[in-house]
Each structure stands twice: as structure tokens, then as C-alpha cells.
């Protein structure tokens, strides 16, 4: 069974440029999470989807970050414009359950460097 | 608000020894779940063990076991017969029963020495 797929694995951009990350969850997993992980820190939740609905986006900086999960399968996280402080690893995770404490399966992450 | 605290930023033990990683949390919820995740260097995060708060019995998974003290809000991870492949960052995580709040600790970097 394929795991959570993320692309790209690495991205280097200049500040003020836009960037997008893509995530394909495990087949059949209805809940999808995007996390931000700074160096040496634990993941911080940005947004959680149940199917195609964003049920928790309270930690998403909406002035520059946006996300979508069309058709309730794969998802895209966008930053526009990127700032130096956005340099981090962006993790995607999925779980089978909806509305419950399902085990999360993580992707390898996208490491973003903003110059 | 819920918090998760891992007080040991870094630990080192010899191969085959037993090591315990600490985690404390704070919540007013009665129904919640606790997790330990492992993140090896340059590899993706995987679940090590999971504990339901309503269960008194401590969860075990092969060489990994937890000491769940609900009243003390403590959730430590014990790794027995440690192996070189256990070298990783370990994150303690809390999730509400409804799954609407997920909080990770800052992690403990564990080194298993040959």
C-alpha cells in the first residue's frame, strides 16, 4: 500500500515568491492534515480536512496561506507571498477516521527554504 | 488550553540498555488520546504507540511500552533492549477525543550508541 506522497521534497525560493506543496493521502483516508515543523520543534497543525471540508483552519495564517482539497482526495497548500520565516518542513498526514482520534500517517515532508 | 511538555531535549544510551522518555501534558478533557511518534533522521514520522485515556492498562508494542499516569498527567515511553535503529526524534502528542485538537511536544532527540 502506498503511503502519503508529498511533492516536491525540497524547494528553494526567494522571498515574496509564491510556492505550492502537494499531498496525496493514503487511499481511502478521509482526514488530511497539514503541519508546519520548524527545525528542532514538533509539528504544528495548520489545517485539518475531513473529506473536502476544512474543519479546523484556525492556525492557518490566512493572509498568505491557502489550502484546498478538491474532491476530498489530494490537497494543495500555497504560500503567497513567501517570507523568510516560512522556511520550515511542511508535513502532510492522513488518517482513516473522520471526527475521531485516528492514527495519523505522515508523508516525508517538503523542506522549504526562503532566501 | 492543552499543552504537551517533553523535558528532555536530548538523551544518549548504550545499545541494549533501557531508556525512558518523559512527557507531561495538561488538559481539562476527560476523553483524549496520547501518542508517541518517532522521526528518524531524514525520514518520515511513524507511530510508535498509542494510549486511550479511558484505558487503565498501559499500552505495549514489542520493545516499546508506556507508563500512563492519568492523575499526574504523565505519559512516558520506555524502550527496552534499545537498538541502533531507535536513534531518532521522539514526539509525544495529545489529541482530544473528538480529534479536533492535536498538539505535539517539542521532541526528545535520542541517540543509541554502539
Amino acid at each position: 500500500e502506498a503511503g502519503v506522497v508529498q511533492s516536491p521534497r525540497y524547494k528553494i525560493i526567494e522571498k515574496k515568491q509564491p510556492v505550492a506543496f502537494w499531498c496525496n493521502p493514503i487511499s481511502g483516508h478521509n482526514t488530511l492534515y497539514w503541519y508546519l515543523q520548524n527545525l528542532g520543534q514538533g509539528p504544528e497543525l495548520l489545517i485539518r480536512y475531513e473529506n473536502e471540508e476544512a474543519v479546523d483552519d484556525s492556525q492557518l495564517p490566512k493572509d498568505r496561506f491557502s489550502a484546498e482539497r478538491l474532491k476530498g482526495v489530494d490537497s494543495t497548500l500555497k504560500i503567497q507571498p513567501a517570507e523568510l520565516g516560512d522556511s520550515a518542513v511542511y508535513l502532510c498526514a492522513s488518517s482513516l477516521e473522520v471526527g475521531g482520534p485516528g492514527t495519523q500517517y505522515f508523508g516525508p515532508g517538503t523542506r522549504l527554504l526562503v532566501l | 488550553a492543552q499543552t504537551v511538555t517533553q523535558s528532555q531535549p536530548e538523551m544518549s544510551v548504550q545499545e541494549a540498555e533501557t531508556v525512558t522518555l518523559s512527557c507531561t501534558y495538561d488538559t481539562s478533557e476527560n476523553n483524549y488520546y496520547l501518542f508517541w511518534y518517532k522521526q528518524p533522521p531524514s525520514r518520515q514520522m511513524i507511530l510508535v504507540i498509542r494510549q486511550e485515556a479511558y484505558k487503565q492498562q498501559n499500552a505495549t508494542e514489542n520493545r516499546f511500552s508506556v507508563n500512563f499516569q492519568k492523575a499526574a498527567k504523565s505519559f512516558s515511553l520506555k524502550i527496552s533492549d534499545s537498538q541502533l535503529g531507535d536513534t531518532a526524534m521522539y514526539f509525544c502528542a495529545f489529541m482530544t477525543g473528538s480529534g479536533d485538537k492535536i498538539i505535539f511536544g517539542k521532541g526528545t532527540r535520542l541517540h543509541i550508541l554502539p
Side-chain angles (χ1 to χ4, degrees), chain A residues 15-95:
Chain A
K15 63 180 180 181
K16 301 185 181 179
Q17 294 299 306
V19 63
F21 314 125
W22 177 79
C23 172
N24 188 258
I26 293 173
S27 177
H29 280 201
N30 298 308
T31 302
L32 184 146
Y33 309 79
W34 281 104
Y35 289 92
L36 165 70
Q37 186 177 23
N38 287 305
L39 186 64
Q41 303 291 316
E44 299 171 31
L45 182 68
L46 289 173
I47 189 168
R48 175 170 64 99
Y49 283 93
E50 290 182 358
N51 299 305
E52 65 275 10
E53 181 183 0
V55 296
D56 183 1
D57 62 356
S58 58
Q59 301 303 312
L60 190 71
K62 298 181 184 62
D63 57 336
R64 297 184 300 107
F65 286 66
S66 64
E68 61 182 12
R69 192 186 183 197
L70 301 176
K71 302 180 181 178
V73 182
D74 54 352
S75 176
T76 302
L77 177 69
K78 297 178 182 178
I79 308 174
Q80 182 171 7
E83 297 179 352
L84 296 177
D86 297 331
S87 295
V89 176
Y90 292 82
L91 297 171
C92 179
S94 69
S95 71

Side-chain angles (χ1 to χ4, degrees), chain A residues 37 41-43, chain B residues 4 6-11 19-23 35-41 45-49 63-64 77-79 82-93 104-112:
Chain A
Q37 186 177 23
Q41 303 291 316
Chain B
V4 175
Q6 294 180 248
S7 59
Q8 305 149 312
E10 196 160 2
M11 299 181 71
V19 59
T20 299
L21 280 58
S22 300
C23 174
F35 305 84
W36 279 99
Y37 281 90
K38 170 185 178 181
Q39 190 175 40
M45 196 173 304
I46 57 172
L47 178 70
V48 175
I49 201 164
R63 298 183 295 107
F64 299 87
L77 173 70
K78 186 172 82 171
I79 306 173
S82 57
Q83 301 174 359
L84 296 179
D86 296 332
T87 292
M89 280 288 285
Y90 287 81
F91 293 98
C92 177
F104 283 77
K106 292 186 175 182
T108 295
R109 186 177 301 277
L110 177 65
H111 302 275
I112 307 299

Side-chain angles (χ1 to χ4, degrees), chain B residues 9-46:
Chain B
E10 196 160 2
M11 299 181 71
S12 296
V13 297
Q14 294 293 135
E15 190 177 8
E17 289 185 348
T18 295
V19 59
T20 299
L21 280 58
S22 300
C23 174
T24 59
Y25 59 95
D26 190 23
T27 183
S28 57
E29 304 272 336
N30 192 49
N31 180 29
Y32 54 89
Y33 296 77
L34 297 164
F35 305 84
W36 279 99
Y37 281 90
K38 170 185 178 181
Q39 190 175 40
S42 302
R43 294 180 62 186
Q44 58 205 78
M45 196 173 304
I46 57 172

Side-chain angles (χ1 to χ4, degrees), chain A residues 37 42 48 99 101 103-104 106, chain B residues 33 39 44 50 95 98 100:
Chain A
Q37 186 177 23
R48 175 170 64 99
T103 296
Q104 297 179 60
F106 284 82
Chain B
Y33 296 77
Q39 190 175 40
Q44 58 205 78
R50 159 186 168 136
M95 182 182 286
S98 61
D100 65 341

Side-chain angles (χ1 to χ4, degrees), chain A residues 3-24:
Chain A
V4 176
V5 178
Q6 290 188 248
S7 68
R9 292 293 310 276
Y10 304 91
K11 189 74 176 179
I12 301 174
I13 61 171
E14 294 187 345
K15 63 180 180 181
K16 301 185 181 179
Q17 294 299 306
V19 63
F21 314 125
W22 177 79
C23 172
N24 188 258

